[in-house]
Amino acid sequence: MSAIEGLTGELRRLPGIGTRTALRLSYHLVKGPKEDIRRLARALAEVAERIRPCSRCGNYCSSDLCSVCRDPSRDRSMICVVEEAYEVGAIERAGRYGGLFHVLGGRLSPLDGVGPDELDIGGLLKRVRDPAEVPKEVILATNASVEGEATAVYLESLLRPFPVRVTRLARGIPVGSDLEYVDGTTIAEALAGRREVREDA
Amino acid sequence: MSAIEGLTGELRRLPGIGTRTALRLSYHLVKGPKEDIRRLARALAEVAERIRPCSRCGNYCSSDLCSVCRDPSRDRSMICVVEEAYEVGAIERAGRYGGLFHVLGGRLSPLDGVGPDELDIGGLLKRVRDPAEVPKEVILATNASVEGEATAVYLESLLRPFPVRVTRLARGIPVGSDLEYVDGTTIAEALAGRREVREDA
Protein backbone atom coordinates (compact mmCIF):
# COMPACT_ATOMS: atom_id res chain seq x y z
CA MET A 1 0.00 0.00 0.00
CA SER A 2 2.94 2.37 0.48
CA ALA A 3 2.98 3.46 -3.20
CA ILE A 4 -0.69 4.49 -2.92
CA GLU A 5 0.03 6.30 0.34
CA GLY A 6 2.95 8.05 -1.34
CA LEU A 7 0.76 9.22 -4.21
CA THR A 8 -2.01 10.28 -1.79
CA GLY A 9 0.54 12.32 0.16
CA GLU A 10 1.74 14.07 -3.00
CA LEU A 11 -1.82 14.82 -4.17
CA ARG A 12 -2.74 16.19 -0.75
CA ARG A 13 -0.06 18.87 -1.15
CA LEU A 14 -2.08 20.41 -4.01
CA PRO A 15 -4.33 23.38 -3.19
CA GLY A 16 -7.94 22.51 -2.42
CA ILE A 17 -7.23 18.77 -2.19
CA GLY A 18 -7.69 17.28 1.27
CA THR A 19 -6.97 13.81 2.56
CA ARG A 20 -10.24 12.30 1.38
CA THR A 21 -10.06 13.77 -2.12
CA ALA A 22 -6.42 12.71 -2.43
CA LEU A 23 -7.37 9.14 -1.43
CA ARG A 24 -10.30 9.10 -3.85
CA LEU A 25 -8.08 10.34 -6.70
CA SER A 26 -5.35 7.81 -5.88
CA TYR A 27 -7.78 4.91 -5.92
CA HIS A 28 -9.45 6.21 -9.06
CA LEU A 29 -6.05 6.22 -10.77
CA VAL A 30 -5.12 2.78 -9.42
CA LYS A 31 -8.45 1.34 -10.57
CA GLY A 32 -8.21 2.74 -14.07
CA PRO A 33 -5.89 1.67 -16.90
CA LYS A 34 -2.17 1.95 -16.05
CA GLU A 35 -1.79 3.94 -19.25
CA ASP A 36 -3.89 6.79 -17.73
CA ILE A 37 -1.49 7.03 -14.78
CA ARG A 38 1.53 6.96 -17.07
CA ARG A 39 0.04 9.69 -19.28
CA LEU A 40 -0.51 11.95 -16.28
CA ALA A 41 3.05 11.25 -15.07
CA ARG A 42 4.40 12.08 -18.54
CA ALA A 43 2.36 15.30 -18.73
CA LEU A 44 3.84 16.35 -15.37
CA ALA A 45 7.38 15.49 -16.45
CA GLU A 46 6.84 17.43 -19.68
CA VAL A 47 5.76 20.52 -17.71
CA ALA A 48 8.69 20.16 -15.29
CA GLU A 49 11.19 19.90 -18.15
CA ARG A 50 9.78 22.34 -20.68
CA ILE A 51 7.80 25.14 -19.06
CA ARG A 52 9.64 28.26 -17.98
CA PRO A 53 8.68 31.93 -17.58
CA CYS A 54 8.96 34.14 -20.66
CA SER A 55 12.13 36.20 -20.25
CA ARG A 56 10.26 39.37 -21.17
CA CYS A 57 6.74 39.18 -19.68
CA GLY A 58 6.86 36.26 -17.22
CA ASN A 59 4.03 34.34 -18.92
CA TYR A 60 4.70 30.58 -19.02
CA CYS A 61 6.09 29.17 -22.23
CA SER A 62 8.39 26.48 -23.54
CA SER A 63 10.88 28.77 -25.25
CA ASP A 64 12.75 31.94 -24.30
CA LEU A 65 9.91 34.27 -25.35
CA CYS A 66 6.22 33.37 -24.95
CA SER A 67 3.83 33.07 -27.89
CA VAL A 68 2.28 36.49 -27.14
CA CYS A 69 5.64 38.29 -27.05
CA ARG A 70 6.74 36.53 -30.26
CA ASP A 71 3.51 37.26 -32.14
CA PRO A 72 4.25 40.15 -34.58
CA SER A 73 0.53 40.93 -34.91
CA ARG A 74 0.18 41.93 -31.21
CA ASP A 75 -0.12 45.63 -30.38
CA ARG A 76 3.21 46.48 -28.74
CA SER A 77 1.96 49.84 -27.42
CA MET A 78 -0.11 48.21 -24.63
CA ILE A 79 1.04 46.18 -21.63
CA CYS A 80 -1.60 44.50 -19.50
CA VAL A 81 -0.22 43.81 -16.00
CA VAL A 82 -1.65 40.74 -14.25
CA GLU A 83 -0.82 39.09 -10.95
CA GLU A 84 -0.47 35.49 -12.10
CA ALA A 85 0.35 33.81 -15.41
CA TYR A 86 -2.97 31.96 -15.52
CA GLU A 87 -4.76 35.31 -15.68
CA VAL A 88 -3.19 35.84 -19.11
CA GLY A 89 -5.37 32.94 -20.26
CA ALA A 90 -8.50 34.49 -18.72
CA ILE A 91 -7.92 37.73 -20.66
CA GLU A 92 -6.93 35.91 -23.86
CA ARG A 93 -10.16 33.87 -23.73
CA ALA A 94 -12.18 37.09 -23.62
CA GLY A 95 -10.76 37.67 -27.11
CA ARG A 96 -10.80 41.47 -26.96
CA TYR A 97 -7.23 42.30 -26.06
CA GLY A 98 -4.47 42.40 -28.66
CA GLY A 99 -1.60 43.89 -26.66
CA LEU A 100 1.22 42.43 -24.58
CA PHE A 101 1.24 41.22 -20.97
CA HIS A 102 3.37 41.50 -17.90
CA VAL A 103 3.09 38.95 -15.10
CA LEU A 104 3.96 40.22 -11.61
CA GLY A 105 4.01 36.79 -10.04
CA GLY A 106 1.71 37.77 -7.17
CA ARG A 107 0.37 40.83 -5.40
CA LEU A 108 1.64 43.02 -2.58
CA SER A 109 0.62 41.29 0.62
CA PRO A 110 2.73 42.27 3.64
CA LEU A 111 0.93 39.73 5.85
CA ASP A 112 2.10 36.93 3.56
CA GLY A 113 5.57 38.42 3.34
CA VAL A 114 5.13 39.55 -0.27
CA GLY A 115 6.70 42.95 -0.80
CA PRO A 116 7.74 44.78 -4.00
CA ASP A 117 10.96 42.72 -4.21
CA GLU A 118 8.99 39.47 -4.52
CA LEU A 119 7.16 40.75 -7.63
CA ASP A 120 8.58 41.35 -11.10
CA ILE A 121 8.16 45.12 -10.88
CA GLY A 122 11.72 45.79 -12.04
CA GLY A 123 10.98 43.98 -15.30
CA LEU A 124 7.88 46.10 -15.88
CA LEU A 125 9.75 49.38 -15.27
CA LYS A 126 12.54 48.20 -17.56
CA ARG A 127 9.98 47.56 -20.31
CA VAL A 128 8.35 50.97 -19.81
CA ARG A 129 11.78 52.62 -20.06
CA ASP A 130 12.90 50.48 -23.01
CA PRO A 131 13.09 52.63 -26.18
CA ALA A 132 12.54 49.48 -28.28
CA GLU A 133 9.17 48.75 -26.67
CA VAL A 134 7.78 52.27 -26.11
CA PRO A 135 4.41 51.27 -24.62
CA LYS A 136 1.75 54.01 -24.73
CA GLU A 137 -0.51 52.40 -22.14
CA VAL A 138 -0.14 50.15 -19.09
CA ILE A 139 -3.39 48.48 -18.03
CA LEU A 140 -3.29 47.47 -14.37
CA ALA A 141 -5.35 44.28 -14.38
CA THR A 142 -4.53 43.18 -10.84
CA ASN A 143 -7.48 41.61 -9.02
CA ALA A 144 -10.29 43.63 -7.49
CA SER A 145 -9.22 42.53 -4.00
CA VAL A 146 -7.67 44.69 -1.28
CA GLU A 147 -4.18 43.39 -2.15
CA GLY A 148 -4.80 43.75 -5.89
CA GLU A 149 -5.92 47.35 -5.42
CA ALA A 150 -2.93 48.13 -3.21
CA THR A 151 -0.63 46.66 -5.85
CA ALA A 152 -2.27 48.78 -8.56
CA VAL A 153 -1.95 51.96 -6.46
CA TYR A 154 1.73 51.19 -5.81
CA LEU A 155 2.43 50.48 -9.49
CA GLU A 156 0.63 53.65 -10.53
CA SER A 157 2.91 55.71 -8.23
CA LEU A 158 5.99 54.08 -9.79
CA LEU A 159 4.73 54.61 -13.34
CA ARG A 160 3.73 58.26 -12.82
CA PRO A 161 7.12 59.72 -13.94
CA PHE A 162 6.90 57.95 -17.31
CA PRO A 163 5.08 59.30 -20.38
CA VAL A 164 2.67 56.37 -20.39
CA ARG A 165 -1.10 56.21 -19.87
CA VAL A 166 -1.90 54.07 -16.83
CA THR A 167 -5.40 52.54 -16.70
CA ARG A 168 -7.27 50.08 -14.53
CA LEU A 169 -9.96 47.56 -15.54
CA ALA A 170 -13.47 48.97 -15.02
CA ARG A 171 -15.36 48.06 -11.85
CA GLY A 172 -19.05 47.30 -12.22
CA ILE A 173 -21.90 44.84 -12.37
CA PRO A 174 -20.75 41.51 -13.84
CA VAL A 175 -22.53 40.70 -17.09
CA GLY A 176 -25.51 38.41 -16.53
CA SER A 177 -25.83 38.97 -12.79
CA ASP A 178 -28.86 40.18 -10.83
CA LEU A 179 -28.51 43.49 -9.00
CA GLU A 180 -30.07 41.79 -6.02
CA TYR A 181 -27.02 39.57 -5.58
CA VAL A 182 -24.35 42.21 -6.27
CA ASP A 183 -22.61 43.59 -3.17
CA GLY A 184 -22.93 47.24 -2.19
CA THR A 185 -19.32 48.16 -2.90
CA THR A 186 -19.62 46.90 -6.47
CA ILE A 187 -22.89 48.82 -6.96
CA ALA A 188 -21.20 51.96 -5.60
CA GLU A 189 -18.32 51.47 -8.06
CA ALA A 190 -20.77 50.84 -10.90
CA LEU A 191 -22.63 54.05 -10.03
CA ALA A 192 -19.40 56.04 -9.86
CA GLY A 193 -18.29 54.62 -13.21
CA ARG A 194 -21.69 54.99 -14.93
CA ARG A 195 -21.61 55.79 -18.64
CA GLU A 196 -23.87 57.62 -21.08
CA VAL A 197 -26.17 55.15 -22.76
CA ARG A 198 -25.73 56.88 -26.12
CA GLU A 199 -21.99 57.46 -26.08
CA ASP A 200 -21.94 58.20 -29.79
CA ALA A 201 -24.66 60.90 -29.41
CA MET B 1 1.77 26.67 -23.45
CA SER B 2 0.97 23.24 -24.89
CA ALA B 3 2.67 21.30 -22.06
CA ILE B 4 0.45 23.11 -19.55
CA GLU B 5 -2.61 22.44 -21.66
CA GLY B 6 -1.60 18.77 -21.86
CA LEU B 7 -1.30 18.55 -18.07
CA THR B 8 -4.59 20.42 -17.61
CA GLY B 9 -6.30 17.97 -19.96
CA GLU B 10 -4.96 14.99 -18.01
CA LEU B 11 -5.99 16.48 -14.64
CA ARG B 12 -9.48 17.23 -15.98
CA ARG B 13 -10.01 13.51 -16.59
CA LEU B 14 -9.91 12.91 -12.83
CA PRO B 15 -13.23 12.65 -10.99
CA GLY B 16 -14.50 15.89 -9.44
CA ILE B 17 -11.91 18.03 -11.25
CA GLY B 18 -13.35 20.43 -13.81
CA THR B 19 -11.61 22.72 -16.27
CA ARG B 20 -11.05 25.53 -13.80
CA THR B 21 -9.69 23.32 -11.03
CA ALA B 22 -7.44 21.52 -13.52
CA LEU B 23 -6.08 24.87 -14.72
CA ARG B 24 -5.56 26.10 -11.16
CA LEU B 25 -3.70 22.90 -10.25
CA SER B 26 -1.55 23.05 -13.39
CA TYR B 27 -0.49 26.62 -12.71
CA HIS B 28 0.08 25.86 -9.05
CA LEU B 29 2.44 23.08 -10.07
CA VAL B 30 4.17 25.21 -12.70
CA LYS B 31 4.66 28.06 -10.22
CA GLY B 32 6.12 25.84 -7.49
CA PRO B 33 9.52 24.12 -7.41
CA LYS B 34 10.14 21.72 -10.32
CA GLU B 35 11.04 19.10 -7.73
CA ASP B 36 7.40 19.05 -6.50
CA ILE B 37 6.19 18.21 -10.01
CA ARG B 38 8.85 15.55 -10.42
CA ARG B 39 7.96 13.98 -7.07
CA LEU B 40 4.28 13.76 -8.06
CA ALA B 41 5.26 12.26 -11.43
CA ARG B 42 7.46 9.71 -9.66
CA ALA B 43 4.70 8.81 -7.18
CA LEU B 44 2.37 8.18 -10.14
CA ALA B 45 4.94 6.06 -11.97
CA GLU B 46 5.55 4.09 -8.78
CA VAL B 47 1.82 3.34 -8.47
CA ALA B 48 1.57 2.42 -12.16
CA GLU B 49 4.50 0.01 -11.91
CA ARG B 50 4.01 -1.53 -8.49
CA ILE B 51 0.35 -1.61 -7.45
CA ARG B 52 -1.76 -4.59 -8.49
CA PRO B 53 -4.84 -6.32 -7.02
CA CYS B 54 -4.22 -9.05 -4.42
CA SER B 55 -4.70 -12.37 -6.19
CA ARG B 56 -6.93 -13.61 -3.38
CA CYS B 57 -9.05 -10.69 -2.11
CA GLY B 58 -8.67 -7.98 -4.75
CA ASN B 59 -7.29 -5.38 -2.30
CA TYR B 60 -4.46 -3.29 -3.81
CA CYS B 61 -0.93 -4.29 -2.93
CA SER B 62 2.56 -4.40 -4.38
CA SER B 63 3.05 -8.17 -4.15
CA ASP B 64 1.00 -11.23 -5.10
CA LEU B 65 -0.94 -11.30 -1.80
CA CYS B 66 -1.95 -8.15 0.11
CA SER B 67 -0.74 -7.36 3.62
CA VAL B 68 -4.08 -8.44 5.15
CA CYS B 69 -4.12 -11.82 3.39
CA ARG B 70 -0.46 -12.42 4.36
CA ASP B 71 -0.93 -11.43 8.02
CA PRO B 72 -1.05 -14.69 10.05
CA SER B 73 -2.71 -12.91 12.97
CA ARG B 74 -5.91 -12.12 10.97
CA ASP B 75 -9.01 -14.17 11.71
CA ARG B 76 -9.42 -16.35 8.62
CA SER B 77 -12.98 -17.39 9.56
CA MET B 78 -14.46 -14.02 8.50
CA ILE B 79 -14.59 -12.39 5.08
CA CYS B 80 -15.81 -8.80 4.85
CA VAL B 81 -17.10 -8.09 1.33
CA VAL B 82 -16.67 -4.49 0.15
CA GLU B 83 -17.41 -2.78 -3.16
CA GLU B 84 -14.11 -0.98 -3.68
CA ALA B 85 -10.55 -1.45 -2.44
CA TYR B 86 -10.48 1.95 -0.73
CA GLU B 87 -13.27 0.78 1.56
CA VAL B 88 -10.83 -1.74 3.03
CA GLY B 89 -8.96 1.26 4.40
CA ALA B 90 -12.15 2.76 5.88
CA ILE B 91 -12.85 -0.46 7.79
CA GLU B 92 -9.22 -0.91 8.80
CA ARG B 93 -9.12 2.61 10.20
CA ALA B 94 -12.10 1.77 12.44
CA GLY B 95 -9.70 -0.71 14.08
CA ARG B 96 -12.36 -3.20 15.16
CA TYR B 97 -12.19 -5.83 12.43
CA GLY B 98 -9.56 -8.56 12.43
CA GLY B 99 -10.80 -10.78 9.59
CA LEU B 100 -10.12 -10.94 5.86
CA PHE B 101 -11.60 -8.93 3.01
CA HIS B 102 -13.00 -9.49 -0.43
CA VAL B 103 -13.17 -6.64 -2.93
CA LEU B 104 -15.98 -6.92 -5.51
CA GLY B 105 -14.66 -4.09 -7.68
CA GLY B 106 -18.03 -2.31 -7.85
CA ARG B 107 -21.72 -2.91 -7.26
CA LEU B 108 -24.52 -4.28 -9.38
CA SER B 109 -25.80 -1.37 -11.44
CA PRO B 110 -27.62 -2.42 -14.62
CA LEU B 111 -28.03 1.22 -15.71
CA ASP B 112 -24.23 1.61 -15.76
CA GLY B 113 -23.80 -1.76 -17.47
CA VAL B 114 -22.40 -3.43 -14.33
CA GLY B 115 -23.77 -6.97 -13.99
CA PRO B 116 -22.55 -9.93 -11.92
CA ASP B 117 -19.85 -10.72 -14.49
CA GLU B 118 -18.20 -7.33 -13.97
CA LEU B 119 -17.72 -8.03 -10.23
CA ASP B 120 -15.36 -10.52 -8.60
CA ILE B 121 -18.20 -12.73 -7.34
CA GLY B 122 -16.59 -15.89 -8.71
CA GLY B 123 -13.55 -15.28 -6.53
CA LEU B 124 -15.74 -14.87 -3.43
CA LEU B 125 -17.64 -18.13 -4.09
CA LYS B 126 -14.35 -19.93 -4.69
CA ARG B 127 -13.07 -18.71 -1.32
CA VAL B 128 -16.30 -19.81 0.43
CA ARG B 129 -16.00 -23.26 -1.16
CA ASP B 130 -12.25 -23.54 -0.53
CA PRO B 131 -11.58 -26.17 2.16
CA ALA B 132 -8.33 -24.38 3.01
CA GLU B 133 -10.12 -21.11 3.92
CA VAL B 134 -13.38 -22.42 5.49
CA PRO B 135 -14.86 -19.03 6.41
CA LYS B 136 -17.58 -19.20 9.05
CA GLU B 137 -19.02 -15.77 8.30
CA VAL B 138 -19.34 -13.47 5.29
CA ILE B 139 -20.08 -9.85 6.21
CA LEU B 140 -21.73 -8.00 3.32
CA ALA B 141 -20.33 -4.49 3.73
CA THR B 142 -21.59 -3.11 0.43
CA ASN B 143 -22.79 0.48 0.66
CA ALA B 144 -26.16 1.49 2.08
CA SER B 145 -27.28 2.69 -1.37
CA VAL B 146 -29.90 1.11 -3.64
CA GLU B 147 -27.20 -0.59 -5.73
CA GLY B 148 -25.26 -1.67 -2.64
CA GLU B 149 -28.39 -3.21 -1.14
CA ALA B 150 -29.24 -4.97 -4.40
CA THR B 151 -25.70 -6.35 -4.55
CA ALA B 152 -25.98 -7.62 -0.97
CA VAL B 153 -29.35 -9.29 -1.69
CA TYR B 154 -27.91 -10.95 -4.79
CA LEU B 155 -24.79 -12.17 -2.93
CA GLU B 156 -26.93 -13.48 -0.07
CA SER B 157 -28.93 -15.58 -2.55
CA LEU B 158 -25.70 -17.03 -4.01
CA LEU B 159 -24.24 -17.76 -0.56
CA ARG B 160 -27.40 -19.41 0.85
CA PRO B 161 -26.41 -22.98 -0.23
CA PHE B 162 -23.13 -22.77 1.71
CA PRO B 163 -22.72 -23.50 5.43
CA VAL B 164 -21.64 -19.95 6.18
CA ARG B 165 -23.24 -17.22 8.27
CA VAL B 166 -24.08 -14.21 6.06
CA THR B 167 -24.41 -10.85 7.84
CA ARG B 168 -24.83 -7.21 6.86
CA LEU B 169 -23.49 -4.06 8.57
CA ALA B 170 -26.07 -2.54 10.96
CA ARG B 171 -28.19 0.37 9.75
CA GLY B 172 -28.78 3.18 12.21
CA ILE B 173 -28.05 6.67 13.44
CA PRO B 174 -24.44 7.66 12.70
CA VAL B 175 -22.46 8.28 15.89
CA GLY B 176 -22.35 11.96 16.77
CA SER B 177 -25.25 13.05 14.57
CA ASP B 178 -28.40 14.92 15.59
CA LEU B 179 -31.70 13.08 15.10
CA GLU B 180 -33.04 16.27 13.56
CA TYR B 181 -30.71 15.87 10.57
CA VAL B 182 -31.10 12.12 10.06
CA ASP B 183 -33.42 11.09 7.21
CA GLY B 184 -36.62 9.19 7.86
CA THR B 185 -35.49 5.93 6.26
CA THR B 186 -32.45 5.77 8.52
CA ILE B 187 -34.61 6.48 11.59
CA ALA B 188 -37.00 3.72 10.51
CA GLU B 189 -34.04 1.31 10.14
CA ALA B 190 -32.65 2.40 13.51
CA LEU B 191 -36.05 1.75 15.12
CA ALA B 192 -36.34 -1.68 13.49
CA GLY B 193 -32.83 -2.58 14.60
CA ARG B 194 -33.15 -1.17 18.15
CA ARG B 195 -31.30 -3.00 20.91
CA GLU B 196 -31.79 -3.54 24.62
CA VAL B 197 -29.84 -0.92 26.55
CA ARG B 198 -28.72 -3.47 29.14
CA GLU B 199 -27.76 -6.36 26.92
CA ASP B 200 -25.88 -8.09 29.69
CA ALA B 201 -28.91 -8.00 31.99
Side-chain angles (χ1 to χ4, degrees):
Chain A
M1 288 289 280
S2 67
I4 298 184
E5 280 161 16
L7 175 58
T8 305
E10 288 302 324
L11 291 171
R12 203 170 40 198
R13 297 162 57 97
L14 298 173
I17 296 198
T19 307
R20 257 162 207 281
T21 308
L23 259 177
R24 192 166 49 83
L25 291 175
S26 290
Y27 277 102
H28 171 87
L29 285 163
V30 170
K31 203 186 175 186
K34 301 262 179 206
E35 186 45 33
D36 282 8
I37 311 182
R38 291 202 192 94
R39 253 207 334 270
L40 178 52
R42 274 200 303 273
L44 285 161
E46 181 100 332
V47 162
E49 303 317 322
R50 292 187 44 200
I51 298 298
R52 67 184 89 171
C54 169
S55 64
R56 189 183 294 162
C57 76
N59 188 9
Y60 291 123
C61 58
S62 49
S63 50
D64 181 48
L65 282 182
C66 74
S67 55
V68 174
C69 284
R70 270 182 296 146
D71 185 347
S73 72
R74 305 289 298 211
D75 179 356
R76 267 141 221 288
S77 70
M78 289 200 282
I79 298 179
C80 176
V81 178
V82 293
E83 295 178 13
E84 301 286 357
Y86 54 79
E87 289 156 350
V88 169
I91 293 173
E92 284 294 277
R93 278 192 294 281
R96 293 292 292 274
Y97 179 68
L100 304 179
F101 290 96
H102 191 84
V103 177
L104 293 173
R107 73 218 74 174
L108 292 181
S109 179
L111 288 178
D112 302 320
V114 180
D117 294 343
E118 274 71 47
L119 307 179
D120 185 22
I121 294 175
L124 175 63
L125 294 179
K126 197 169 147 228
R127 291 177 69 182
V128 170
R129 272 194 295 257
D130 184 358
E133 281 218 11
V134 284
K136 291 196 185 70
E137 178 172 353
V138 172
I139 304 170
L140 300 174
T142 51
N143 286 316
S145 60
V146 173
E147 290 95 345
E149 288 292 347
T151 310
V153 168
Y154 179 73
L155 289 178
E156 196 278 320
S157 73
L158 292 181
L159 291 167
R160 210 172 297 155
F162 299 98
V164 65
R165 191 176 165 219
V166 179
T167 57
R168 185 102 179 84
L169 291 186
R171 291 290 111 81
I173 314 295
V175 175
S177 69
D178 282 357
L179 265 190
E180 191 184 354
Y181 301 115
V182 175
D183 65 290
T185 318
T186 300
I187 291 185
E189 294 259 17
L191 278 169
R194 69 194 183 277
R195 293 164 61 178
E196 289 278 351
V197 176
R198 292 180 55 193
E199 284 213 316
D200 53 341
Chain B
M1 289 289 279
S2 67
I4 298 185
E5 279 160 15
L7 176 58
T8 305
E10 290 301 325
L11 290 172
R12 203 171 39 200
R13 298 162 55 97
L14 297 174
I17 296 198
T19 307
R20 258 162 205 280
T21 308
L23 260 177
R24 192 165 47 83
L25 291 176
S26 292
Y27 278 101
H28 170 86
L29 285 163
V30 170
K31 204 185 173 186
K34 300 263 180 205
E35 186 45 35
D36 283 8
I37 312 182
R38 291 203 193 95
R39 248 204 341 265
L40 177 53
R42 275 200 303 271
L44 285 161
E46 180 101 332
V47 162
E49 303 317 322
R50 291 189 41 201
I51 298 298
R52 67 183 88 171
C54 169
S55 63
R56 190 184 293 163
C57 76
N59 188 10
Y60 292 123
C61 58
S62 49
S63 50
D64 181 49
L65 284 181
C66 74
S67 55
V68 174
C69 284
R70 270 182 294 143
D71 185 347
S73 72
R74 306 289 300 209
D75 178 357
R76 269 143 218 287
S77 70
M78 290 201 282
I79 297 178
C80 177
V81 178
V82 293
E83 295 177 11
E84 303 287 357
Y86 54 78
E87 289 155 351
V88 169
I91 292 174
E92 285 293 275
R93 276 192 295 280
R96 293 293 292 272
Y97 179 69
L100 304 178
F101 289 96
H102 191 83
V103 177
L104 293 172
R107 72 219 77 176
L108 293 180
S109 178
L111 289 178
D112 301 320
V114 180
D117 294 343
E118 273 70 48
L119 306 181
D120 184 22
I121 294 174
L124 176 63
L125 295 179
K126 198 169 145 228
R127 290 178 71 182
V128 170
R129 272 195 295 258
D130 184 357
E133 281 219 12
V134 285
K136 290 194 184 72
E137 178 171 353
V138 172
I139 304 170
L140 301 174
T142 53
N143 285 316
S145 61
V146 174
E147 290 94 345
E149 288 291 348
T151 309
V153 167
Y154 179 73
L155 289 177
E156 195 278 322
S157 74
L158 293 180
L159 291 168
R160 210 172 297 156
F162 298 99
V164 65
R165 192 174 166 219
V166 179
T167 57
R168 186 105 177 82
L169 291 187
R171 292 289 111 77
I173 314 297
V175 175
S177 71
D178 280 358
L179 266 188
E180 193 185 354
Y181 301 115
V182 175
D183 65 290
T185 318
T186 300
I187 291 183
E189 294 259 17
L191 278 170
R194 68 192 183 281
R195 292 163 65 179
E196 289 277 351
V197 177
R198 293 179 55 192
E199 285 210 313
D200 53 338

